[in-house]
Amino acid sequence: MISGGDTLGTDEIPLVLMADDDDDDCTLAKDAFSESGAHGAIECVEDGIALMDHLFRASPLPSLILLDLNMPRKDGRQA
């Protein structure tokens, strides 16, 4: 969700950010996203700490975050 002053420019593609510690789940999501024909990019991070780091430095913010609730270090509930 884009909030406040963070909006996508007309030349920017939407970003989906996925936080999941299972590489197979990330690969499956990327394949499904690609096959759907959706416009945009999907990136994966391995846990809640990496998710928070990514969000603090992201510009623009992701349009959608897919969040695994059970991850090491910082889980989805804590993030």
Side-chain angles (χ1 to χ4, degrees):
M1 181 176 193
I2 299 172
S3 62
D6 295 324
T7 58
L8 290 174
T10 56
D11 60 341
E12 296 180 46
I13 59 172
L15 172 65
V16 175
L17 181 58
M18 182 171 179
D20 198 315
D21 61 322
D22 187 332
D23 289 336
D24 291 336
D25 287 346
C26 285
T27 300
L28 182 64
K30 286 179 179 182
D31 290 346
F33 191 80
S34 176
E35 289 179 21
S36 75
H39 298 286
I42 184 167
E43 292 182 23
C44 291
V45 294
E46 66 276 0
D47 59 38
I49 291 175
L51 169 69
M52 300 307 292
D53 289 344
H54 189 283
L55 291 174
F56 283 124
R57 61 180 166 74
S59 179
L61 292 173
S63 298
L64 175 68
I65 297 173
L66 302 175
L67 184 59
D68 180 4
L69 295 179
N70 299 311
M71 294 181 288
R73 299 192 326 149
K74 181 180 276 197
D75 68 23
R77 290 171 198 86
Q78 294 167 322

